[in-house]
């Protein structure tokens, strides 16, 4: 029992460390990308150096994407597990994504058939919704829609996120959540859905995926309802 407690404490320390590093690293990384862009766009920069700057931008962008998929809402302080309103947290997550949704011509429709409480850390729950909705946006390069629906059945709460994107084959659905599985080449990390599964499991929930190639994808999160 003592050993278990020590292991848990170690894990806590590691995850807080990761969260604080990501917070500290994100801003300087953004600055680095900004200055590299200035170098790349400067008319005095030689063609060779422009190419080097572009590589450096790509690599730095990749590093920041890994931080985004993993640790956007990880907080460098102890977890705050609480009862949260799914309706409120879904609305907050959509607000965070609003600029990206507008830019990519994706409209959202939200239908709250059920508005209950679930238990968990709101920051982690935001990370789950963010990673899922970002995939939906990325699956609709010419725009489309995301429909979010909540319902309740047999003391479970269902949150489904449906998009009108390019969908996935059955083999790809089966690989979803596997670390580093990505079909986006340099643009993907393959960590987004792994993080989704991990967080949802830690909240005693589960994830179901339905997808039809060239039609769309629906991801359903199932959580136990709290009285
Ligand atoms: P990444 O987005 O970095 O590639 P993810 O773990 O978030 O990694 O997703 C893994 C892969 O699953 C994606 O590369 C994509 O091919 C596929 N995928 C995930 N969500 C969707 C979706 N809504 N529509 C179509 N494909 C998806
Ligand atoms: Mg992703």
């Amino acid at each position: 029992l003592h050993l278990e407690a020590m292991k848990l404490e170690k894990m806590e320390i590691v995850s807080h460390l990761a969260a604080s590093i990501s917070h500290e690293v994100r801003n300087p990384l953004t600055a680095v990308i900004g200055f590299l862009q200035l170098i790349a766009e400067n008319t005095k920069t030689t063609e060779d150096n422009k190419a080097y700057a572009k590589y450096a931008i790509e690599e730095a962008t990749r590093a920041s994407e890994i931080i985004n998929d993993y640790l956007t809402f990880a907080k460098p302080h102890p977890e705050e597990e609480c009862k949260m309103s799914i309706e409120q947290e879904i609305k907050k997550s959509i607000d965070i994504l609003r600029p990206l949704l507008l830019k990519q011509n994706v409209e959202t429709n939200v239908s709250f058939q059920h508005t209950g409480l679930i238990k968990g850390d709101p920051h982690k729950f935001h990370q789950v919704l963010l990673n899922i909705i970002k995939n939906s946006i990325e699956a609709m390069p010419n725009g489309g829609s995301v429909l979010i629906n909540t319902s309740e059945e047999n003391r479970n709460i269902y949150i489904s996120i449906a998009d009108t994107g390019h969908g996935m084959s059955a083999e790809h659905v089966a690989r979803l959540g596997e670390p580093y599985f990505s079909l986006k080449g340099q643009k993907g990390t393959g960590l987004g859905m792994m993080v989704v599964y991990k967080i949802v499991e830690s909240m005693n929930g589960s994830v179901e995926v339905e997808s039809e190639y060239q039609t769309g994808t629906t991801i359903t999160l199932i959580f136990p309802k709290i009285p």
Side-chain angles (χ1 to χ4, degrees):
L1 223 127
H2 182 59
L3 261 175
E4 278 299 302
M6 263 171 60
K7 218 162 109 187
L8 231 104
E9 197 180 324
K10 247 190 194 165
M11 270 166 60
E12 283 264 288
I13 292 169
V14 170
S15 81
H16 293 159
L17 189 64
S20 31
I21 291 173
S22 87
H23 272 253
E24 300 305 322
V25 168
R26 201 193 319 255
N27 291 338
L29 209 49
T30 305
V32 167
I33 294 170
F35 283 116
L36 285 169
Q37 260 152 1
L38 288 180
I39 294 172
E41 285 159 17
N42 193 316
T43 49
K44 283 182 223 142
T45 306
T46 64
E47 286 307 309
D48 270 3
N49 286 343
K50 270 186 193 165
Y52 298 148
K54 269 185 72 186
Y55 283 131
I57 290 169
E58 273 172 30
E59 295 300 315
T61 303
R62 187 158 178 75
S64 79
E65 262 157 24
I66 289 172
I67 291 175
N68 285 340
D69 279 0
Y70 246 138
L71 299 159
T72 301
F73 296 106
K75 282 268 162 144
H77 53 68
E79 262 170 49
E80 29 167 323
E81 195 168 272
C82 62
K83 292 179 184 179
M84 51 187 168
S85 144
I86 36 176
E87 182 176 353
Q88 207 177 317
E89 301 309 327
I90 289 171
K91 282 184 176 159
K92 272 191 212 161
S93 304
I94 294 175
D95 282 340
I96 294 165
L97 284 166
R98 188 85 60 204
L100 189 64
L101 289 159
L102 279 172
K103 188 169 154 245
Q104 299 301 124
N105 245 323
V106 173
E107 58 160 29
T108 49
N109 271 298
V110 195
S111 148
F112 295 111
Q113 319 269 350
H114 174 80
T115 54
L117 301 172
I118 53 173
K119 215 156 131 188
D121 179 337
H123 302 294
K124 291 195 167 166
F125 187 57
H126 291 164
Q127 178 92 66
V128 166
L129 294 173
L130 193 93
N131 288 8
I132 292 173
I133 300 170
K134 259 171 68 186
N135 280 340
S136 289
I137 295 171
E138 284 158 6
M140 302 184 285
N142 302 314
S145 66
V146 174
L147 177 68
I148 301 177
N149 186 68
T150 63
S151 61
E152 186 197 335
E153 209 187 300
N154 296 333
R155 292 210 208 118
N156 281 325
I157 290 178
Y158 292 77
I159 303 168
S160 68
I161 299 115
D163 65 50
T164 56
H166 55 54
M168 278 173 276
S169 66
E171 293 118 88
H172 292 150
V173 169
R175 294 192 60 189
L176 213 58
E178 187 183 297
Y180 308 115
F181 164 66
S182 174
L183 298 174
K184 294 172 191 166
Q186 273 292 312
K187 286 196 178 127
T189 61
L191 295 173
M193 286 305 291
M194 183 202 70
V195 168
V196 166
Y197 278 90
K198 284 251 156 77
I199 294 175
V200 172
E201 272 163 29
S202 78
M203 295 168 68
N204 295 321
S206 58
V207 182
E208 275 175 12
V209 184
E210 270 172 85
S211 189
E212 201 170 327
Y213 197 55
Q214 306 211 311
T215 305
T217 302
T218 302
I219 308 244
T220 306
L221 309 174
I222 306 158
F223 295 106
K225 188 186 170 188
I226 50 172

